[in-house]
Amino acid sequence: MSENSPETSDNPSALSEALRGPSRMTTLECAALLLQEIAEPRPVGDSVKAAITRAARAVNVFLGDREKLSYGRAEDLWRREARRIDAHELDAIRAAHGARAQRRDEALREELRAAAVLADRLERLAARALPADDPALATEIRTEVHRARRAARRLRGHAAAAARSGMSGPAPPA
């Protein structure tokens, strides 16, 4: 890829919400950003070298019989220093990014289901805990039950919205 005529990518579907927009980016910029997202989440104290290695390994799964993405090649792409990017490399990077997004979305869906189940259980337990002899305590428990019911409804709503949307966008607030 030469500096005078950069290749561009019109496929924003694989990019995160932060990268979407009307502007076009070069395939090298696209590959670099996707590789950096593939390496996420990065643990505290994680080195850039470890992140690049993690991203390269994830991409290698999708390269099949082709030459594997070496650390040096992945680093050149990561740092936007590569002179060119082959179509099969960009396809593998996009596939790895898509697989990572699917795993993240499924984990989020599972967390939302678990939170909704927990909210339902909390609601049932709080409803059974009403004392007959202490009106002040009963009022406090009723208030907490009302809060639990509202939280359960919000969680159910988030879980339903996530299921309908296929989790393609940013994570809904919990």
Side-chain angles (χ1 to χ4, degrees), residues 98-109:
R100 176 195 164 274
Q102 283 180 328
R103 285 190 308 272
R104 183 197 66 226
D105 292 349
E106 183 53 40
L108 181 58
R109 271 191 228 96

Side-chain angles (χ1 to χ4, degrees), residues 142-157:
R142 279 190 195 99
T143 302
E144 293 305 319
V145 166
H146 180 68
R147 287 182 185 158
R149 285 184 182 142
R150 282 195 335 242
R153 277 194 297 270
R154 280 192 302 250
L155 286 171
R156 282 189 213 103

Side-chain angles (χ1 to χ4, degrees), residues 88-146:
H88 72 275
E89 289 175 325
L90 188 57
D91 290 344
I93 290 169
R94 286 180 174 149
H97 185 268
R100 176 195 164 274
Q102 283 180 328
R103 285 190 308 272
R104 183 197 66 226
D105 292 349
E106 183 53 40
L108 181 58
R109 271 191 228 96
E110 186 56 40
E111 288 290 326
L112 284 170
R113 281 191 288 268
V117 167
L118 183 61
D120 289 341
R121 185 169 181 234
L122 176 62
E123 184 178 349
R124 286 192 305 272
L125 288 172
R128 281 192 253 151
L130 287 175
D133 57 343
D134 189 355
L137 185 57
T139 302
E140 184 180 339
I141 290 175
R142 279 190 195 99
T143 302
E144 293 305 319
V145 166
H146 180 68

Side-chain angles (χ1 to χ4, degrees), residues 19-136:
L19 301 177
R20 293 183 187 184
S23 66
R24 294 163 50 112
M25 63 174 53
T26 66
T27 53
L28 183 58
E29 289 169 341
C30 178
L33 291 170
L34 291 176
L35 278 175
Q36 291 168 11
E37 287 185 9
I38 290 167
E40 297 290 334
R42 291 180 56 187
V44 175
D46 190 34
S47 67
V48 174
K49 182 176 182 176
I52 293 170
T53 301
R54 193 170 42 253
R57 286 182 181 154
V59 170
N60 284 337
V61 170
F62 295 94
L63 282 173
D65 295 337
R66 298 247 185 196
E67 183 179 340
K68 300 299 182 191
L69 192 65
S70 68
Y71 172 81
R73 177 70 175 148
E75 183 181 27
D76 286 347
L77 294 170
W78 180 285
R79 299 185 191 281
R80 296 169 176 87
E81 295 171 352
R83 291 181 180 216
R84 62 170 173 72
I85 181 166
D86 295 333
H88 72 275
E89 289 175 325
L90 188 57
D91 290 344
I93 290 169
R94 286 180 174 149
H97 185 268
R100 176 195 164 274
Q102 283 180 328
R103 285 190 308 272
R104 183 197 66 226
D105 292 349
E106 183 53 40
L108 181 58
R109 271 191 228 96
E110 186 56 40
E111 288 290 326
L112 284 170
R113 281 191 288 268
V117 167
L118 183 61
D120 289 341
R121 185 169 181 234
L122 176 62
E123 184 178 349
R124 286 192 305 272
L125 288 172
R128 281 192 253 151
L130 287 175
D133 57 343
D134 189 355

